[in-house]
Amino acid sequence: MNQVQPFGSWPSTLSASVVARAGVRLGAIFAQGTTTWWWEGRPAEAGRGVIVVDGPSGRVDLTPAPANVRSRVHEYDGGSWTVLSDQTVAYVEAVDQHIHLVSPDGTTRQLTSHTDDTRYGNLTDGGEVIFAVRERHSTSADGQHHAEPVNDLVAIERSSGAVHVVASGHDFFSSPRP
């Protein structure tokens, strides 16, 4: 027997957490020949960002746990990864904001190194370099951020990780394209 109840108060076997866990988010799709890459935000893995590749060998997670693909540049995660011309993937690790490279065979190496609060985003293939927006934050002795971050457009050498400033002096840079 059906029973009338006030809006939103009816019983359900689905909790909010069950519904949220089921919603994998998809974004930033790249295609090259018969291979496709995309980013997945996985609520069931604490929101971890994963790069998935689907190609001739099947579908696999290119960035295995605990890797978490997410950039904090401009605080909105823009351009946290890209596919390079040789099908290597460059991505920003959420925890330390370093850029990592994953070759088609799954070998991973950290490309950038910094000890301060430096962030990279808007990654773009430039052949032997990766173009990116670099955002540097300064902190006081008590660990608090102060002043506005400094933004630069940079080119990062794929072979060495050396960072070269291409443009600076403006409050905002976004979406570099060679």
Side-chain angles (χ1 to χ4, degrees):
M1 174 194 249
N2 289 340
Q3 184 178 17
V4 176
Q5 297 201 6
F7 179 78
S9 66
W10 57 87
S12 175
T13 58
L14 297 174
S15 68
S17 64
V18 167
V19 172
R21 263 197 319 269
V24 172
R25 295 174 301 145
L26 303 175
I29 299 169
F30 285 86
Q32 198 178 79
T34 59
T35 304
T36 305
W37 297 259
W38 63 89
W39 177 90
E40 288 186 4
R42 297 181 175 172
E45 297 180 40
R48 183 171 83 90
V50 179
I51 304 302
V52 180
V53 60
D54 190 1
S57 301
R59 181 181 296 178
V60 296
D61 289 357
L62 192 60
T63 51
N68 186 4
V69 179
R70 184 165 288 119
S71 169
R72 294 191 335 247
V73 165
H74 307 315
E75 306 300 336
Y76 66 78
D77 188 34
S80 58
W81 69 285
T82 193
V83 179
L84 307 175
S85 59
D86 64 354
Q87 296 193 345
T88 294
V89 170
Y91 74 91
V92 177
E93 169 57 48
V95 173
D96 59 17
Q97 296 295 288
H98 287 292
I99 297 174
H100 296 258
L101 299 176
V102 183
S103 65
D105 69 5
T107 304
T108 302
R109 75 177 173 96
Q110 182 177 313
L111 180 62
T112 58
S113 62
H114 55 265
T115 56
D116 57 354
D117 190 358
T118 297
R119 306 168 183 187
Y120 294 97
N122 298 137
L123 305 183
T124 302
D125 185 18
E128 295 301 313
V129 298
I130 298 168
F131 290 104
V133 172
R134 177 179 67 179
E135 185 176 275
R136 293 173 291 149
H137 293 256
S138 57
T139 54
S140 57
D142 62 2
Q144 298 297 313
H145 286 288
H146 65 297
E148 289 295 314
V150 175
N151 290 285
D152 303 303
L153 180 61
V154 297
I156 305 158
E157 293 179 19
R158 287 180 58 183
S159 60
S160 67
V163 178
H164 305 281
V165 175
V166 174
S168 63
H170 298 285
D171 291 341
F172 189 85
F173 288 95
S174 179
S175 308
R177 296 295 179 261

